[in-house]
Amino acid sequence: MSHSHKKKVIIVGGGAAGFFTAINIAEKHPHYEVLVLEKTNKLLSKVKVSGGGRCNVTNARQQPSELTPFYPRGGKKLYTVFKEFSTADMVRWLGDRGVKTHTEADLRMFPTSNSSQTIIDCFTGEAARLGVKVIQNCGVKHIEATEHQWSLVTSQGPMIADKLIIATGSAPSVWGFLSQLGLDLVPPVPSLFTFNIKDLRISGLMGTSFSEVNIRITGTKLEEAGPMLITHWGLSGPAVLKLSAWGARELAEKNYHFHILVNYLGKESNAEVRQWFDQQKQDHPKRKVLNYPPGELTRRFWEQLCKYCEIAEEDNFGEITKKQVNKLTEELTQGLYEVKGKSTFKEEFVTSGGVALSEVDLKTFEARNFPNLYLAGEVLDIDALTGGFNFQACWSAGWVISEHI
Ligand SMILES: Cc1cc2nc3c(=O)[nH]c(=O)nc-3n(C[C@H](O)[C@H](O)[C@H](O)COP(=O)(O)OP(=O)(O)OC[C@H]3O[C@@H](n4cnc5c(N)ncnc54)[C@H](O)[C@@H]3O)c2cc1C
C-alpha cells in the first residue's frame, strides 16, 4: 500500500495522554499514519515538571478496586479501564522499553533515574522509532465531522483525519469547539489546593507538621484523615489536599469561604483526651503543662495552643482548672478555623471538570455520538488525588484507545 492510502490518525495535544496514545496506536496499527499536533513549541511539558521534576509516573497499588477510590471524578467508572491497563501494566510497558521504576514508602512510583527526562526520552524515542509525526506550534482551532472523516482548522492550515483523538489537557481553550459540537462539558474548578487561614493558633508556625489529623468541613459531609502541615498561608498536607479534591465543586460554590474542625490527635475522642489530662493530674501533678504535649504534637505548637487557652508557663497539671482542661480538649479535638480562600499546591495541581464522562464509551474512549472521535487525559472530567493517579488515567485511556481503534 502506498503511503498516501494510509488511514490518518490525528492526535491533538503533545502531552502525556497524547504521546502515550500515539505510540501505542503506531505500534499496534502500522497501517495507520499517526500525527501529533501540539499548540506550543514544547512537548510533554507537564511531564517535565511533574513530581518535582522526578515524575511520579504511576502508583504501586495494582488492583482496579484499590485505584478507583483515588479518583474524586471518575471513580468506579474507571474500574474496567484499569482492568484493561493497570499500573502494573504501565510498569511493565516502561520496563520493556528500558525504563526502570522504583516504589517509595507511600507507594508512589518514579523512574529509578529520579528524572522526568527519562520518561520524556522514552516517549519521544518510541514515537520517532514508530514513525509518529509530531508537529509543534500547531494549534487546533476548530473541528467538524464530514461524512466519514474529521476536518480540522489549525494554525498551520486545514487537515483531514480518519480518526481524531483530543488530548488537550485541562486548558479550556478547546472547550469552545467541543461544546459547539454538542459535547456536554462540566465547568472547570481547581482541585488539590491548600486552605488559606489567618489565625493566632497557627501563625508563625510554618513548617510544623502533624502525622495524623482528622479534618471535617462544617455543614458538609466532607471529612479526611492524614498528615497535615502548617504553611505561611494556612494549612496544607495530604489531609487538606484530599479534602480539596473531594470537595472541589462544593468548596468552589462556597467561594472558598468555609469552616473546618481539626482534630490534631487523629482518632482520639474528646473523652479520651479528657481522660489523658486526668491521668496527668493524677500521675504527674507537678509537671509543667507546656513541657508535655499529648500525642506527637510538637513543643512549639503545644506552647502556642496552651497560651491561646490561657495556660501560664509555670502552670502544672495539678493546678489547671476543669474549664482550662475543657478548653484545651476542645482545641485539640475540634478546633474551629475559618478558611478564606485557597492557594495552589504547586507539586501537582489539577483541574477538575472537562468533557462529561457520559459523553464517552469508556470501553473504547470513543465519543458516544461522534464516531471516530476519541478523548483521553485531563480533557475528560477525570481527576485524582496525588500519587501518580492522574498520569495513570492518561496511560490507561491511551492504551484502551489503541486496543479498540
Ligand atoms: C506541576 C505539576 C506536577 C504534576 N505532577 C504529577 C505527577 O507527578 N504525577 C501525576 O500523576 N500527575 C501529575 N500532575 C498532573 C498531570 O500532569 C496531568 O494530569 C497530565 O499532564 C494530564 O495529561 P494530558 O495529556 O491530559 O494534558 P497535558 O499534559 O496538559 O497535555 C495537553 C497538551 O495539549 C496541548 N494543547 C492544548 N490545546 C491545544 C490545541 N488546541 N491544539 C494543539 N495542542 C493543544 C497543550 O499545549 C499540552 O501540551 C502534575 C501537574 C502539574 C501541573
Side-chain angles (χ1 to χ4, degrees):
M1 206 192 287
S2 89
H3 200 75
S4 58
H5 292 130
K6 278 191 164 187
K7 287 222 169 188
K8 196 166 187 176
V9 179
I10 292 186
I11 292 152
V12 187
F19 259 87
F20 196 73
T21 310
I23 293 166
N24 285 292
I25 291 175
E27 184 146 59
K28 291 175 198 169
H29 310 279
H31 53 292
Y32 284 150
E33 181 186 344
V34 182
L35 183 63
V36 175
L37 307 180
E38 166 56 44
K39 180 175 70 177
T40 69
N41 62 359
K42 295 199 182 84
L43 301 171
L44 297 160
S45 58
K46 265 191 170 180
V47 172
K48 178 79 185 167
V49 298
S50 69
R54 294 199 297 141
C55 187
N56 176 196
V57 68
T58 188
N59 193 280
R61 289 174 183 83
Q62 295 187 354
Q63 297 305 319
S65 58
E66 295 177 283
L67 297 172
T68 55
F70 288 91
Y71 294 81
R73 265 74 44 189
K76 289 200 183 94
K77 287 186 187 146
L78 298 173
Y79 186 90
T80 51
V81 178
F82 293 140
K83 214 165 157 83
E84 189 161 351
F85 191 80
S86 187
T87 50
D89 297 311
M90 185 57 186
V91 170
R92 200 171 313 121
W93 191 96
L94 288 169
D96 288 347
R97 289 157 182 82
V99 176
K100 290 200 188 83
T101 47
H102 72 281
T103 306
E104 304 210 328
D106 58 7
L107 302 182
R108 288 183 302 161
M109 296 193 74
F110 295 86
T112 301
S113 64
N114 277 323
S115 165
S116 57
Q117 192 60 42
T118 305
I119 304 293
I120 295 174
D121 291 345
C122 169
F123 282 11
T124 50
E126 283 294 281
R129 177 177 72 84
L130 295 161
V132 173
K133 275 189 223 145
V134 182
I135 306 182
Q136 284 155 263
N137 301 308
C138 183
V140 173
K141 294 174 172 165
H142 192 72
I143 63 170
E144 211 175 286
T146 59
E147 211 171 332
H148 296 294
Q149 291 176 312
W150 284 91
S151 79
L152 288 71
V153 178
T154 83
S155 57
Q156 297 192 21
M159 294 185 194
I160 298 283
D162 295 292
K163 310 254 178 202
L164 181 60
I165 294 151
I166 307 291
T168 46
S170 55
S173 61
V174 300
W175 289 23
F177 67 70
L178 292 180
S179 70
Q180 261 179 37
L181 267 185
L183 286 171
D184 184 18
L185 291 156
V186 181
V189 293
S191 181
L192 299 177
F193 49 82
T194 67
F195 297 168
N196 291 0
I197 299 169
K198 270 212 178 94
D199 194 290
L200 273 177
R201 287 164 287 183
I202 58 170
S203 80
L205 289 178
M206 44 272 212
T208 301
S209 61
F210 304 85
S211 55
E212 180 79 7
V213 304
N214 185 285
I215 311 177
R216 270 190 295 148
I217 299 181
T218 63
T220 74
K221 287 191 175 130
L222 298 163
E223 178 170 359
E224 277 295 341
M228 186 179 79
L229 179 73
I230 298 177
T231 68
H232 189 68
W233 312 107
L235 294 175
S236 179
V240 171
L241 294 171
K242 279 192 273 179
L243 272 177
S244 78
W246 287 103
R249 206 148 287 281
E250 224 171 321
L251 300 179
E253 275 159 18
K254 292 180 186 294
N255 209 8
Y256 306 105
H257 189 187
F258 53 94
H259 289 86
I260 57 171
L261 288 167
V262 181
N263 186 338
Y264 286 101
L265 298 172
K267 287 191 192 68
E268 300 272 336
S269 69
N270 210 293
E272 282 167 324
V273 175
R274 213 176 289 272
Q275 208 182 343
W276 180 84
F277 277 110
D278 287 344
Q279 200 74 43
Q280 303 305 306
K281 269 179 181 295
Q282 227 176 51
D283 299 350
H284 312 288
K286 292 272 179 287
R287 275 187 179 172
K288 290 200 168 58
V289 179
L290 259 62
N291 290 347
Y292 292 92
E296 292 170 26
L297 298 183
T298 67
R299 267 287 291 275
R300 266 180 81 210
F301 172 74
W302 177 238
E303 278 176 18
Q304 192 148 317
L305 200 68
C306 283
K307 282 181 188 151
Y308 181 81
C309 296
E310 292 171 353
I311 309 284
E313 205 152 330
E314 61 280 1
D315 287 349
N316 57 42
F317 281 103
E319 282 166 1
I320 51 171
T321 65
K322 198 165 174 190
K323 211 175 138 196
Q324 285 174 313
V325 169
N326 285 345
K327 176 92 175 130
L328 275 171
T329 304
E330 185 175 307
E331 284 300 334
L332 285 169
T333 59
Q334 45 196 329
L336 182 68
Y337 294 80
E338 183 182 23
V339 178
K340 269 187 166 171
K342 58 166 173 51
S343 295
T344 304
F345 178 62
K346 285 181 233 57
E347 284 295 296
E348 198 175 317
F349 181 72
V350 296
T351 306
S352 86
V355 176
L357 282 188
S358 53
E359 293 284 359
V360 291
D361 176 357
L362 289 175
K363 287 190 201 79
T364 58
F365 281 81
E366 189 170 16
R368 287 184 193 279
N369 302 319
F370 303 94
N372 301 319
L373 178 70
Y374 299 76
L375 297 116
E378 230 181 290
V379 69
L380 287 167
D381 186 26
I382 296 176
D383 68 90
L385 305 179
T386 64
F389 304 106
N390 280 303
F391 278 145
Q392 186 58 44
C394 296
W395 317 144
S396 295
W399 179 268
V400 169
I401 291 174
S402 73
E403 282 286 302
H404 300 281
I405 199 165

